[in-house]
Amino acid sequence: MQRNKTSILFFKRLIKYFLILAILILMMAPLYVKSYDLAKRLTIEKSSARLEDGVGVLERQVLRAQEIGNLLRQEESFKRLFFLQGKPSSAYYYDFERLQTKLKSLSLTQDLFSNAYIAFRDNPVFVSNSLSSDNADDVYRRYYRYPGMTAQEWKTMLFGKTDVFRILPSKAVHSSYYSRHDFQAMTVLINNSYYNALDVKSVLAIDINTEDIAKLLLYEEQLGDHQVYLTDLDGNLLLAKGSEASASQADTLQEVLTKQASVGGPKEGAIELNSQQYVTLSDTSAQLGIRVVVAIPSSTFETNIDALMELVVTYAAAGAVVVVLLAVLFSMRETLTLRKLVETAGTLSQVNFTTLNEYKYMDRAFTRIRSINEEQLGRIEALNISIRYSVLKNLLVLGVHTQRELEEAIDCFGDTFERFCIAKARWSTEENREERDEANPAALRPNPGIELEKVLRTLPDYGVLALHFHANEAVFVLFGKSEEKGSVQELGDRLSGMLRRLSRDVPSAAIINIGLSGIESGLKQARPAYEQAQYALSLHENGISSGVHIFERSGSGEGGPEFDHTIPLKLHDALIAGEERGAEQIFADASTQMADHARTEQERLQIFFTVRQTVSNAHKVMRLGNGYKEETKVEALPEYDQTKDVFKLFGELEQTALELCRSVIGRKKSNNDRLKADILNYIAENYGDSSLSAGKIAGELMLSEKYVFSFVKEQTGKSLGKYIEEIRLDKAERLLIQTDEPNSAILKKCGFGSENTFYRAFSKKHGVTPSSWKETHRKLTP
């Protein structure tokens, strides 16, 4: 049944993940249908961006050429050559050499310039970015020419029109200082005359290699199959570049341009060239007066589709494998988790498992767990309150003396004690049972302490922590919620008004007196503040009327150091441990503190009696502790004698304390054997008590639990639990052999808390059950 349940849960999870995989596959199906359009759009967008950027670069290059012409016209050398008539003399050589240097430096900033030269109509001077000469015809014949065009035809082409700016159709160009072979170039002519609108006396000619233009308009991988066309705005073909491009296709191209005649960004169209379909993109440059068309073969899209689909299929196959593996893995993990939850839910809800209701099981399990958590949280909250109550009580009564105590108090109260005061309340009531509520005879009068706490919590600027010590006594910590500094007198007046209202609104027939400390700051001031409140209450308390009594500092004590309240604690520990040197040092510190702190005889006596009480407590522990009842040989504690100085009494007390230390050291030497006998005898006499523990032994013999653990380990070499278990097993073995009592009775007599504990301990020692061991050993016993 268990295996069947697990299989059902697993296959339900697996089917869920396979359905998700099927949905993903169905969602990917439209991708294949749309792959052609997607590949086409990606190719077009990529080519459009390249085309638009390329046209922009071409515009900037040509416009830069015009700027170069403007800069050259400002040169004095150009001016002299411009107005020169006929062949120049040697005096002009410096001018065209200087002009060549200037043209060369300006041309170096341009990426597309193959050749750049200046020609003059009225003189034979030729200046290029590579050389200069006073014989343009010689240069045309030897270094630079258009194959098939005479020098005169070349000059007519240069100066035949008065346009400010012209782009000539691409032609083959021979330029020995640029390339050893002829190359196709598109020439840009710029009227470089001073009055270029009227006449052409000088031109700046720029040859741009068509290969560079194609690279500018197409990506490297597109150069093999894409085609590029440049026309002027009248439709005249300026450039045809590509594997199928030719001037004979100008008519077809003109038809495309007519459809895409609008000026602006790249336009999309279609064209058929040599029985092959192309998608065209065109862009227009109004500044240059040209249109650029890029023809993309349709086969390119199919190639991109194949590449895209290969990628899609690869990723889809890999994804499907990963999804299947993850589906199996997640199904197994969910099954293991759900199985535990289902089993838990079945135990708690008592519902039989079916293939359709595992979530009902889990819902009931979570409901039950939530209920248990709420119960546990309630217990934890109660424990936290108890801990806070205990820490607060120790904080007020004993004070903070160690770093650990300070950290514990900070964890509980944080910065609550940044500004606070202590109010100690004590009340008295008349015991009169006849004054109970007649309508409800069982009802008792309201508790004055509880009612007072409710009233104090209504203080707007103070928070309240309450400790109810006794039936008629409570302590309240009032801590300020704001940084405003209020006086203790103001607080006392407000508390007095609250007491009057409490007496009026809650007729409890109680007389309440409150002792109020000064306003203090810091956790270490909690105990002094408590003592102030206690002192104020004890000094002024009366049984006639309620009142609030504020602690008043004595004038003699102002500004002096306070007595270190950790001295009694340190002294007590030193006396119990028999540390004679430590006790001497503590008495020296206490004497110094008494001299510094106590301004009056009464204050010195108070410190004396505090230390005397500490020595007395240690004396009692020495006399009665650890189970020993005999008296020690320590001298009696010095009694107060008005004829003696307090410091002399303090010295006598120190001698008594040192005698006590020496007595402790002497007794420690003889304690171990007696302690061993007491502890081991107690265990031997009480092993049948299933609740026997270190705490119980320590309580009976007035020891600490830690000492019991360590002492048993030291004396027997075994842990306390192991030692008690062995005694119980020895007793059980004797009873099994010597009596016919059932195992249930034997385990109870021997102190085992349950059958499981008994059987586990017995099997661990002998390897068999008590019954088997009993049968075997009875046969062996004569």
Side-chain angles (χ1 to χ4, degrees):
M1 177 60 186
Q2 185 69 22
R3 182 177 299 177
N4 185 43
K5 182 190 301 183
T6 303
S7 301
I8 292 172
L9 292 173
F10 174 75
F11 283 112
K12 287 179 68 176
R13 309 279 84 73
L14 194 61
I15 290 172
K16 177 184 71 174
Y17 286 113
F18 279 168
L19 287 176
I20 295 175
L21 176 61
I23 293 172
L24 290 176
I25 294 175
L26 291 175
M27 291 175 63
M28 292 176 62
L31 178 63
Y32 184 84
V33 177
K34 295 293 183 179
S35 59
Y36 181 85
D37 293 337
L38 179 62
K40 179 178 179 181
R41 180 51 48 197
L42 291 175
T43 305
I44 289 174
E45 289 178 356
K46 178 180 177 182
S47 301
S48 296
R50 183 70 173 183
L51 174 61
E52 191 170 6
D53 291 342
V55 171
V57 173
L58 188 61
E59 286 180 348
R60 290 192 292 273
Q61 292 285 312
V62 175
L63 293 176
R64 178 58 182 160
Q66 290 180 305
E67 293 177 3
I68 290 173
N70 294 334
L71 292 174
L72 293 175
R73 287 201 301 273
Q74 297 175 14
E75 295 289 324
E76 189 66 29
S77 299
F78 178 84
K79 185 182 298 184
R80 286 167 53 82
L81 294 174
F82 182 81
F83 291 106
L84 173 66
Q85 300 288 330
K87 188 173 181 178
S89 64
S90 59
Y92 286 91
Y93 288 173
Y94 174 78
D95 293 325
F96 52 75
E97 288 293 337
R98 181 178 178 82
L99 189 61
Q100 181 209 351
T101 302
K102 186 70 174 181
L103 177 59
K104 182 177 181 180
S105 64
L106 293 174
S107 300
L108 290 175
T109 62
Q110 301 302 100
D111 297 330
L112 296 180
F113 288 9
S114 301
N115 295 306
Y117 60 87
I118 300 173
F120 298 93
R121 189 187 64 185
D122 298 331
N123 62 67
V125 174
F126 178 87
V127 179
S128 74
N129 56 345
S130 300
L131 59 86
S132 60
S133 174
D134 60 352
N135 190 339
D137 290 343
D138 182 60
V139 170
Y140 186 80
R141 182 178 62 259
R142 298 174 58 187
Y143 302 107
Y144 174 85
R145 64 181 176 274
Y146 290 92
M149 182 182 293
T150 65
Q152 185 59 42
E153 291 174 340
W154 172 55
K155 289 184 178 180
T156 301
M157 180 184 70
L158 295 180
F159 302 105
K161 294 184 180 181
T162 60
D163 296 337
V164 176
F165 168 83
R166 279 192 295 158
I167 298 179
L168 303 179
S170 62
K171 294 181 176 62
V173 177
H174 174 81
S175 176
S176 58
Y177 50 81
Y178 174 73
S179 174
R180 290 182 299 175
H181 306 286
D182 295 350
F183 63 94
Q184 282 293 121
M186 190 174 69
T187 303
V188 179
L189 296 179
I190 299 172
N191 188 343
N192 207 32
S193 303
Y194 286 110
Y195 307 103
N196 52 23
L198 302 176
D199 196 5
V200 181
K201 296 186 64 176
S202 175
V203 295
L204 172 63
I206 297 171
D207 295 329
I208 303 176
N209 195 326
T210 57
E211 294 290 342
D212 294 337
I213 296 176
K215 292 178 181 179
L216 189 66
L217 301 174
L218 298 173
Y219 289 101
E220 189 71 28
E221 65 273 13
Q222 296 175 338
L223 295 174
D225 54 1
H226 288 43
Q227 300 182 29
V228 178
Y229 299 91
L230 260 71
T231 69
D232 58 22
L233 297 181
D234 295 329
N236 300 313
L237 186 65
L238 301 177
L239 171 65
K241 188 68 177 175
S243 58
E244 302 292 337
S246 65
S248 63
Q249 298 167 347
D251 294 339
T252 305
L253 183 62
Q254 181 63 32
E255 180 182 348
V256 173
L257 294 175
T258 301
K259 295 179 181 179
Q260 302 170 202
S262 60
V263 178
K267 305 298 178 182
E268 183 179 344
I271 188 174
E272 182 177 349
L273 300 174
N274 298 330
S275 301
Q276 185 176 355
Q277 295 294 326
Y278 288 84
V279 173
T280 61
L281 296 173
S282 65
D283 197 6
T284 302
S285 173
Q287 290 180 317
L288 301 182
I290 61 172
R291 290 195 183 98
V292 182
V293 179
V294 174
I296 306 170
S298 299
S299 58
T300 302
F301 304 138
E302 297 174 0
T303 303
N304 290 342
I305 290 171
D306 294 339
L308 178 63
M309 291 312 300
E310 287 179 4
L311 184 64
V312 170
V313 170
T314 301
Y315 276 102
V321 172
V322 171
V323 170
V324 169
L325 294 177
L326 290 177
V328 174
L329 176 62
F330 290 161
S331 297
M332 293 175 63
R333 292 183 60 185
E334 286 189 27
T335 300
L336 294 175
T337 303
L338 286 173
R339 186 182 67 181
K340 295 178 182 178
L341 291 175
V342 166
E343 291 173 355
T344 303
T347 302
L348 296 176
S349 60
Q350 300 299 322
V351 177
N352 293 328
F353 174 77
T354 65
T355 59
L356 301 176
N357 74 343
E358 63 263 27
Y359 291 106
K360 291 183 180 179
Y361 279 99
M362 288 186 286
D363 181 64
R364 294 183 184 181
F366 289 142
T367 302
R368 177 59 180 161
I369 292 171
R370 185 163 51 250
S371 176
I372 294 173
N373 286 340
E374 289 174 356
E375 293 175 2
Q376 293 293 339
L377 288 175
R379 293 172 185 162
I380 292 173
E381 181 64 23
L383 180 60
N384 288 335
I385 293 174
S386 176
I387 292 173
R388 282 172 60 89
Y389 186 94
S390 176
V391 172
L392 181 59
K393 185 175 181 179
N394 290 337
L395 188 66
L396 298 181
V397 177
L398 301 178
V400 174
H401 305 290
T402 66
Q403 184 63 27
R404 180 177 180 181
E405 290 174 339
L406 181 61
E407 291 174 355
E408 183 181 49
I410 291 174
D411 289 340
C412 285
F413 305 110
D415 57 357
T416 299
F417 283 82
E418 283 296 320
R419 181 172 174 268
F420 71 96
C421 69
I422 304 295
K424 183 167 184 178
R426 189 178 292 125
W427 57 88
S428 59
T429 58
E430 297 181 3
E431 295 295 337
N432 189 352
R433 298 184 179 182
E434 296 179 358
E435 295 183 0
R436 294 182 179 179
D437 189 353
E438 296 179 358
N440 185 5
L444 298 174
R445 294 174 181 169
N447 186 310
I450 301 299
E451 298 301 322
L452 180 59
E453 180 181 348
K454 293 179 181 178
V455 172
L456 290 178
R457 292 192 183 279
T458 62
L459 283 170
D461 300 328
Y462 290 87
V464 178
L465 291 176
L467 285 175
H468 295 277
F469 280 176
H470 306 290
N472 66 332
E473 187 178 286
V475 177
F476 303 98
V477 183
L478 306 176
F479 52 91
K481 294 181 178 178
S482 64
E483 297 181 357
E484 298 180 1
K485 303 295 184 180
S487 66
V488 68
Q489 186 62 50
E490 177 186 352
L491 178 60
D493 294 340
R494 295 169 68 177
L495 292 180
S496 298
M498 288 183 170
L499 283 183
R500 289 193 295 271
R501 289 196 300 273
L502 181 62
S503 299
R504 183 181 67 248
D505 298 338
V506 184
S508 59
I511 297 174
I512 304 175
N513 282 279
I514 299 176
L516 193 63
S517 73
I519 295 179
E520 302 290 349
S521 177
L523 287 166
K524 293 186 177 181
Q525 296 301 315
R527 184 172 183 270
Y530 172 72
E531 292 176 344
Q532 293 173 14
Q534 189 175 27
Y535 178 76
L537 180 62
S538 301
L539 187 64
H540 301 286
E541 183 180 14
N542 63 79
I544 301 174
S545 62
S546 300
V548 177
H549 314 290
I550 301 174
F551 173 77
E552 296 180 0
R553 301 180 186 273
S554 62
S556 61
E558 292 180 356
E562 294 187 357
F563 180 71
D564 186 357
H565 293 282
T566 64
I567 287 178
L569 298 175
K570 296 176 182 176
L571 179 60
H572 185 273
D573 292 341
L575 295 177
I576 294 299
E579 298 176 356
E580 187 173 353
R581 287 188 178 181
E584 287 181 350
Q585 183 61 47
I586 292 171
F587 264 95
D589 294 341
S591 180
T592 302
Q593 287 279 320
M594 184 168 65
D596 292 341
H597 172 71
R599 298 289 192 266
T600 65
E601 185 70 16
Q602 184 64 29
E603 290 174 341
R604 293 191 185 101
L605 285 174
Q606 183 178 356
I607 295 175
F608 166 74
F609 281 112
T610 299
V611 177
R612 185 183 184 278
Q613 185 62 44
T614 300
V615 178
S616 176
N617 292 340
H619 191 198
K620 291 179 181 178
V621 172
M622 175 66 185
R623 184 163 50 88
L624 302 175
N626 299 335
Y628 297 102
K629 306 299 182 181
E630 72 273 11
E631 295 289 341
T632 65
K633 298 180 180 180
V634 179
E635 296 182 1
L637 298 178
E639 298 292 340
Y640 172 64
D641 187 349
Q642 292 183 349
T643 62
K644 293 182 180 180
D645 181 69
V646 175
F647 287 97
K648 185 176 182 180
L649 291 171
F650 203 74
E652 295 176 358
L653 182 62
E654 180 179 1
Q655 293 303 317
T656 303
L658 296 180
E659 285 292 332
L660 183 60
C661 287
R662 288 189 282 272
S663 177
V664 168
I665 295 300
R667 295 185 64 180
K668 277 188 175 180
K669 296 178 181 179
S670 60
N671 275 352
N672 282 350
D673 291 339
R674 194 167 185 177
L675 274 176
K676 178 179 180 180
D678 285 350
I679 293 175
L680 300 185
N681 287 339
Y682 185 85
I683 295 174
E685 293 172 359
N686 296 277
Y687 70 89
D689 183 1
S690 61
S691 63
L692 181 63
S693 64
K696 195 164 187 177
I697 297 171
E700 289 293 330
L701 301 181
M702 299 182 67
L703 302 171
S704 68
E705 291 186 29
K706 183 177 180 182
Y707 187 82
V708 172
F709 279 119
S710 61
F711 192 86
V712 171
K713 181 69 174 179
E714 177 185 348
Q715 298 298 324
T716 66
K718 304 170 184 176
S719 66
L720 176 63
K722 184 65 175 176
Y723 180 72
I724 294 175
E725 183 180 276
E726 288 186 355
I727 292 177
R728 288 171 173 168
L729 286 173
D730 290 341
K731 183 62 176 178
E733 290 169 4
R734 288 197 297 272
L735 292 176
L736 285 170
I737 295 175
Q738 298 172 4
T739 69
D740 292 324
E741 294 184 18
N743 292 345
S744 59
I746 292 176
L747 69 89
K748 289 182 180 179
K749 283 185 177 182
C750 296
F752 290 99
S754 65
E755 290 186 5
N756 289 336
T757 305
F758 175 54
Y759 280 93
R760 183 170 60 252
F762 202 94
S763 298
K764 184 177 181 181
K765 180 179 180 180
H766 297 290
V768 295
T769 63
S771 300
S772 300
W773 185 89
K774 176 179 179 180
E775 182 178 353
T776 302
H777 281 74
R778 280 199 170 185
K779 290 179 180 178
L780 296 176
T781 302

